[in-house]
Amino acid sequence: MTASLAICPGSFDPITLGHVDVIERARTLFERVIVAVGYNAAKTSLFDLDMRVELARASCHHIDGVSVEPVSGLLADFCRQQEANAIVKGLRGSADFDDELGMSLMNRKLSGLETVFIMGEPSYNHIASSLVKDVARHGGDVSGFVPEPVARALDGVFGRRA
């Protein structure tokens, strides 16, 4: 039997505690999980791809069986190259489902892979990368929303720490 592998894609700009929670729970369902850090043309990134990959690796290093890889191009192609068994996405609520439904159907058509939706931990439902960046931009404390390496990086970008 081959090892089960899930791809957990996102722009992760930046990765949050909600993302890490979904990745940890995906790992309980699959033998291996690849966090696929990609580019979203609909979003303006604060961090470049290399930094987002570095922050995701630092935030997930404690989870056995999880690796982080940059992705350029179609997710379906990346999944096929990795011989993945599924795509995993986290949902905070019905708005996330509405956003993810079309992508999951397109990925199934392109790759043959099903998307497994994991409901986010309710205590993290208010956390979104865009909100975290906005709080940090205005001098707020984001340490309760993101892993420590991300908090340090945001503080560095917005001048809160030396």
Side-chain angles (χ1 to χ4, degrees):
M1 178 178 172
T2 60
S4 62
L5 169 64
I7 306 295
C8 189
S11 55
F12 302 107
D13 185 47
I15 192 167
T16 68
L17 294 176
H19 292 130
V20 174
D21 172 64
V22 168
I23 294 162
E24 287 172 340
R25 291 192 288 130
R27 179 54 187 86
T28 69
L29 299 172
F30 296 91
E31 292 176 75
R32 293 187 315 127
V33 174
I34 296 176
V35 177
V37 181
Y39 172 74
N40 185 335
K43 297 178 181 179
T44 301
S45 295
L46 175 64
F47 296 111
D48 67 20
L49 181 62
D50 290 340
M51 179 59 103
R52 289 183 283 127
V53 167
E54 181 181 323
L55 291 172
R57 284 181 178 150
S59 300
C60 296
H61 78 277
H62 67 284
I63 314 168
D64 289 337
V66 171
S67 61
V68 178
E69 299 295 333
V71 175
S72 60
L74 288 175
L75 177 63
D77 292 338
F78 180 78
C79 290
R80 201 171 9 264
Q81 291 165 358
Q82 299 297 321
E83 299 181 359
N85 303 98
I87 298 167
V88 171
K89 297 291 287 194
L91 299 177
R92 290 171 294 190
S94 61
D96 283 352
F97 177 77
D98 291 342
D99 290 343
E100 297 292 345
L101 179 60
M103 284 188 280
S104 70
L105 295 173
M106 182 63 74
N107 282 325
R108 183 172 65 194
K109 185 72 170 173
L110 293 172
S111 70
L113 292 179
E114 294 295 339
T115 298
V116 175
F117 293 114
I118 295 179
M119 294 307 301
E121 166 60 40
S123 64
Y124 296 138
N125 277 358
H126 63 289
I127 301 173
S129 295
S130 58
L131 292 175
V132 166
K133 289 184 285 192
D134 197 43
V135 169
R137 182 176 289 112
H138 291 93
D141 178 11
V142 297
S143 62
F145 311 126
V146 295
E148 179 58 29
V150 175
R152 284 193 311 269
L154 287 167
D155 286 346
V157 167
F158 296 115
R160 289 180 43 115
R161 294 186 188 173

Short mmCIF file of all heavy atoms in Angstrom, two decimals, residues 104-139:
data_model
loop_
_atom_site.label_atom_id
_atom_site.label_comp_id
_atom_site.label_asym_id
_atom_site.label_seq_id
_atom_site.Cartn_x
_atom_site.Cartn_y
_atom_site.Cartn_z
N SER A 104 -12.56 23.54 -5.87
CA SER A 104 -12.50 22.09 -5.63
C SER A 104 -13.03 21.32 -6.84
O SER A 104 -12.46 20.29 -7.22
CB SER A 104 -13.26 21.71 -4.36
OG SER A 104 -14.66 21.85 -4.53
N LEU A 105 -14.07 21.83 -7.46
CA LEU A 105 -14.62 21.17 -8.64
C LEU A 105 -13.65 21.26 -9.83
O LEU A 105 -13.46 20.29 -10.56
CB LEU A 105 -15.97 21.77 -9.01
CG LEU A 105 -17.08 21.54 -7.96
CD1 LEU A 105 -18.33 22.33 -8.33
CD2 LEU A 105 -17.38 20.07 -7.79
N MET A 106 -13.01 22.41 -9.98
CA MET A 106 -12.02 22.57 -11.06
C MET A 106 -10.83 21.66 -10.83
O MET A 106 -10.36 21.00 -11.76
CB MET A 106 -11.56 24.03 -11.14
CG MET A 106 -10.58 24.28 -12.28
SD MET A 106 -11.25 23.98 -13.93
CE MET A 106 -12.30 25.42 -14.11
N ASN A 107 -10.34 21.60 -9.60
CA ASN A 107 -9.20 20.72 -9.30
C ASN A 107 -9.56 19.25 -9.52
O ASN A 107 -8.72 18.49 -10.00
CB ASN A 107 -8.70 20.96 -7.88
CG ASN A 107 -7.87 22.21 -7.78
OD1 ASN A 107 -7.15 22.56 -8.70
ND2 ASN A 107 -7.97 22.90 -6.65
N ARG A 108 -10.79 18.85 -9.19
CA ARG A 108 -11.20 17.47 -9.44
C ARG A 108 -11.22 17.19 -10.93
O ARG A 108 -10.76 16.14 -11.39
CB ARG A 108 -12.57 17.19 -8.82
CG ARG A 108 -12.97 15.72 -9.01
CD ARG A 108 -14.20 15.35 -8.25
NE ARG A 108 -15.34 16.09 -8.77
CZ ARG A 108 -16.51 16.18 -8.15
NH1 ARG A 108 -16.69 15.61 -6.99
NH2 ARG A 108 -17.49 16.85 -8.70
N LYS A 109 -11.72 18.14 -11.71
CA LYS A 109 -11.77 17.96 -13.17
C LYS A 109 -10.37 17.88 -13.76
O LYS A 109 -10.10 17.06 -14.64
CB LYS A 109 -12.55 19.12 -13.79
CG LYS A 109 -12.78 18.99 -15.25
CD LYS A 109 -13.79 17.92 -15.55
CE LYS A 109 -14.19 17.97 -17.00
NZ LYS A 109 -15.03 16.86 -17.36
N LEU A 110 -9.44 18.71 -13.24
CA LEU A 110 -8.08 18.76 -13.80
C LEU A 110 -7.18 17.64 -13.30
O LEU A 110 -6.30 17.18 -14.03
CB LEU A 110 -7.43 20.10 -13.46
CG LEU A 110 -8.02 21.34 -14.13
CD1 LEU A 110 -7.41 22.60 -13.55
CD2 LEU A 110 -7.84 21.27 -15.64
N SER A 111 -7.38 17.20 -12.05
CA SER A 111 -6.44 16.25 -11.46
C SER A 111 -7.07 14.92 -11.06
O SER A 111 -6.35 13.96 -10.79
CB SER A 111 -5.78 16.86 -10.21
OG SER A 111 -6.74 16.98 -9.17
N GLY A 112 -8.39 14.88 -10.99
CA GLY A 112 -9.06 13.67 -10.51
C GLY A 112 -9.07 13.56 -8.99
O GLY A 112 -9.60 12.59 -8.44
N LEU A 113 -8.51 14.56 -8.30
CA LEU A 113 -8.43 14.51 -6.84
C LEU A 113 -9.64 15.17 -6.18
O LEU A 113 -10.12 16.20 -6.64
CB LEU A 113 -7.17 15.22 -6.33
CG LEU A 113 -5.85 14.56 -6.65
CD1 LEU A 113 -4.71 15.40 -6.10
CD2 LEU A 113 -5.80 13.16 -6.08
N GLU A 114 -10.07 14.56 -5.10
CA GLU A 114 -11.12 15.16 -4.28
C GLU A 114 -10.49 16.15 -3.32
O GLU A 114 -9.35 16.00 -2.89
CB GLU A 114 -11.86 14.08 -3.48
CG GLU A 114 -12.64 13.10 -4.32
CD GLU A 114 -13.80 13.74 -5.07
OE1 GLU A 114 -14.29 14.82 -4.68
OE2 GLU A 114 -14.24 13.13 -6.06
N THR A 115 -11.28 17.17 -2.95
CA THR A 115 -10.88 18.11 -1.92
C THR A 115 -11.58 17.72 -0.63
O THR A 115 -12.80 17.52 -0.61
CB THR A 115 -11.25 19.55 -2.31
OG1 THR A 115 -10.53 19.89 -3.50
CG2 THR A 115 -10.88 20.53 -1.21
N VAL A 116 -10.80 17.58 0.42
CA VAL A 116 -11.33 17.27 1.75
C VAL A 116 -11.38 18.58 2.52
O VAL A 116 -10.36 19.26 2.66
CB VAL A 116 -10.41 16.25 2.48
CG1 VAL A 116 -10.88 16.02 3.89
CG2 VAL A 116 -10.32 14.96 1.69
N PHE A 117 -12.56 18.93 2.99
CA PHE A 117 -12.72 20.16 3.76
C PHE A 117 -12.67 19.84 5.25
O PHE A 117 -13.36 18.94 5.72
CB PHE A 117 -14.04 20.84 3.42
CG PHE A 117 -14.11 21.36 2.02
CD1 PHE A 117 -14.99 20.82 1.10
CD2 PHE A 117 -13.29 22.40 1.60
CE1 PHE A 117 -15.06 21.30 -0.20
CE2 PHE A 117 -13.33 22.89 0.31
CZ PHE A 117 -14.23 22.35 -0.59
N ILE A 118 -11.84 20.59 5.96
CA ILE A 118 -11.74 20.45 7.41
C ILE A 118 -12.26 21.75 8.02
O ILE A 118 -11.78 22.84 7.68
CB ILE A 118 -10.28 20.20 7.85
CG1 ILE A 118 -9.80 18.85 7.31
CG2 ILE A 118 -10.14 20.28 9.37
CD1 ILE A 118 -8.36 18.50 7.66
N MET A 119 -13.25 21.61 8.88
CA MET A 119 -13.80 22.79 9.54
C MET A 119 -12.77 23.33 10.52
O MET A 119 -12.18 22.59 11.30
CB MET A 119 -15.10 22.46 10.28
CG MET A 119 -16.23 22.07 9.34
SD MET A 119 -16.56 23.26 8.02
CE MET A 119 -16.94 24.73 8.95
N GLY A 120 -12.56 24.63 10.46
CA GLY A 120 -11.60 25.28 11.34
C GLY A 120 -12.04 25.21 12.79
O GLY A 120 -13.23 25.13 13.10
N GLU A 121 -11.07 25.23 13.67
CA GLU A 121 -11.33 25.32 15.10
C GLU A 121 -12.11 26.62 15.36
O GLU A 121 -11.65 27.69 14.96
CB GLU A 121 -9.99 25.32 15.86
CG GLU A 121 -10.07 25.73 17.30
CD GLU A 121 -10.97 24.84 18.14
OE1 GLU A 121 -10.96 23.61 17.95
OE2 GLU A 121 -11.68 25.41 18.98
N PRO A 122 -13.28 26.54 15.99
CA PRO A 122 -14.09 27.75 16.19
C PRO A 122 -13.34 28.91 16.86
O PRO A 122 -13.60 30.07 16.53
CB PRO A 122 -15.25 27.27 17.05
CG PRO A 122 -15.40 25.82 16.70
CD PRO A 122 -13.98 25.34 16.47
N SER A 123 -12.41 28.61 17.73
CA SER A 123 -11.69 29.70 18.40
C SER A 123 -10.76 30.46 17.45
O SER A 123 -10.25 31.52 17.80
CB SER A 123 -10.91 29.17 19.60
OG SER A 123 -9.91 28.26 19.19
N TYR A 124 -10.56 29.93 16.25
CA TYR A 124 -9.72 30.60 15.25
C TYR A 124 -10.55 31.19 14.10
O TYR A 124 -9.99 31.74 13.15
CB TYR A 124 -8.70 29.64 14.65
CG TYR A 124 -7.68 29.09 15.61
CD1 TYR A 124 -7.31 27.75 15.59
CD2 TYR A 124 -7.07 29.91 16.55
CE1 TYR A 124 -6.36 27.25 16.46
CE2 TYR A 124 -6.13 29.41 17.44
CZ TYR A 124 -5.78 28.08 17.38
OH TYR A 124 -4.84 27.60 18.26
N ASN A 125 -11.86 31.06 14.14
CA ASN A 125 -12.70 31.48 13.01
C ASN A 125 -12.57 32.95 12.64
O ASN A 125 -12.82 33.33 11.51
CB ASN A 125 -14.17 31.14 13.26
CG ASN A 125 -14.50 29.70 12.91
OD1 ASN A 125 -13.65 28.96 12.44
ND2 ASN A 125 -15.72 29.30 13.15
N HIS A 126 -12.20 33.78 13.57
CA HIS A 126 -12.08 35.21 13.30
C HIS A 126 -10.73 35.58 12.69
O HIS A 126 -10.53 36.71 12.27
CB HIS A 126 -12.27 36.00 14.60
CG HIS A 126 -11.22 35.71 15.63
ND1 HIS A 126 -11.16 34.51 16.30
CD2 HIS A 126 -10.19 36.45 16.07
CE1 HIS A 126 -10.12 34.53 17.13
NE2 HIS A 126 -9.52 35.69 17.02
N ILE A 127 -9.82 34.62 12.60
CA ILE A 127 -8.47 34.91 12.12
C ILE A 127 -8.40 34.73 10.61
O ILE A 127 -8.70 33.67 10.09
CB ILE A 127 -7.42 33.99 12.79
CG1 ILE A 127 -7.46 34.16 14.31
CG2 ILE A 127 -6.03 34.30 12.26
CD1 ILE A 127 -6.57 33.17 15.05
N ALA A 128 -8.01 35.79 9.94
CA ALA A 128 -7.76 35.77 8.49
C ALA A 128 -6.44 36.49 8.26
O ALA A 128 -6.15 37.48 8.94
CB ALA A 128 -8.88 36.46 7.74
N SER A 129 -5.67 36.02 7.32
CA SER A 129 -4.37 36.63 7.03
C SER A 129 -4.51 38.12 6.75
O SER A 129 -3.70 38.93 7.21
CB SER A 129 -3.71 35.94 5.84
OG SER A 129 -3.39 34.61 6.15
N SER A 130 -5.53 38.50 6.00
CA SER A 130 -5.72 39.92 5.67
C SER A 130 -5.97 40.75 6.92
O SER A 130 -5.45 41.86 7.05
CB SER A 130 -6.85 40.10 4.66
OG SER A 130 -8.05 39.56 5.17
N LEU A 131 -6.76 40.22 7.86
CA LEU A 131 -7.01 40.95 9.11
C LEU A 131 -5.76 41.04 9.97
O LEU A 131 -5.50 42.07 10.59
CB LEU A 131 -8.14 40.29 9.89
CG LEU A 131 -9.53 40.36 9.26
CD1 LEU A 131 -10.53 39.56 10.08
CD2 LEU A 131 -9.98 41.80 9.11
N VAL A 132 -5.00 39.95 10.01
CA VAL A 132 -3.75 39.94 10.78
C VAL A 132 -2.81 41.03 10.25
O VAL A 132 -2.22 41.78 11.03
CB VAL A 132 -3.08 38.55 10.72
CG1 VAL A 132 -1.64 38.61 11.22
CG2 VAL A 132 -3.89 37.54 11.52
N LYS A 133 -2.68 41.11 8.93
CA LYS A 133 -1.80 42.14 8.35
C LYS A 133 -2.29 43.54 8.69
O LYS A 133 -1.49 44.43 8.98
CB LYS A 133 -1.70 41.95 6.83
CG LYS A 133 -0.90 40.73 6.43
CD LYS A 133 -0.73 40.61 4.93
CE LYS A 133 -2.02 40.15 4.29
NZ LYS A 133 -1.84 39.74 2.89
N ASP A 134 -3.59 43.72 8.67
CA ASP A 134 -4.15 45.04 8.98
C ASP A 134 -3.89 45.42 10.44
O ASP A 134 -3.52 46.56 10.73
CB ASP A 134 -5.64 45.06 8.67
CG ASP A 134 -6.19 46.47 8.57
OD1 ASP A 134 -5.53 47.33 7.96
OD2 ASP A 134 -7.29 46.71 9.12
N VAL A 135 -4.09 44.49 11.34
CA VAL A 135 -3.82 44.74 12.76
C VAL A 135 -2.35 45.09 12.96
O VAL A 135 -2.00 46.06 13.64
CB VAL A 135 -4.23 43.53 13.63
CG1 VAL A 135 -3.72 43.67 15.06
CG2 VAL A 135 -5.75 43.37 13.63
N ALA A 136 -1.47 44.30 12.35
CA ALA A 136 -0.02 44.54 12.49
C ALA A 136 0.36 45.89 11.88
O ALA A 136 1.17 46.63 12.46
CB ALA A 136 0.77 43.42 11.82
N ARG A 137 -0.22 46.21 10.75
CA ARG A 137 0.07 47.48 10.06
C ARG A 137 -0.26 48.68 10.95
O ARG A 137 0.39 49.71 10.90
CB ARG A 137 -0.74 47.54 8.76
CG ARG A 137 -0.51 48.76 7.92
CD ARG A 137 -1.29 48.70 6.59
NE ARG A 137 -0.70 47.70 5.72
CZ ARG A 137 -1.29 46.55 5.37
NH1 ARG A 137 -2.50 46.25 5.80
NH2 ARG A 137 -0.68 45.70 4.57
N HIS A 138 -1.28 48.52 11.78
CA HIS A 138 -1.71 49.61 12.66
C HIS A 138 -1.16 49.49 14.08
O HIS A 138 -1.67 50.12 15.00
CB HIS A 138 -3.24 49.70 12.66
CG HIS A 138 -3.77 50.17 11.35
ND1 HIS A 138 -4.15 49.31 10.34
CD2 HIS A 138 -3.93 51.42 10.85
CE1 HIS A 138 -4.54 50.01 9.30
NE2 HIS A 138 -4.42 51.29 9.58
N GLY A 139 -0.14 48.68 14.26
CA GLY A 139 0.55 48.60 15.53
C GLY A 139 -0.05 47.67 16.56
O GLY A 139 0.38 47.67 17.72
#
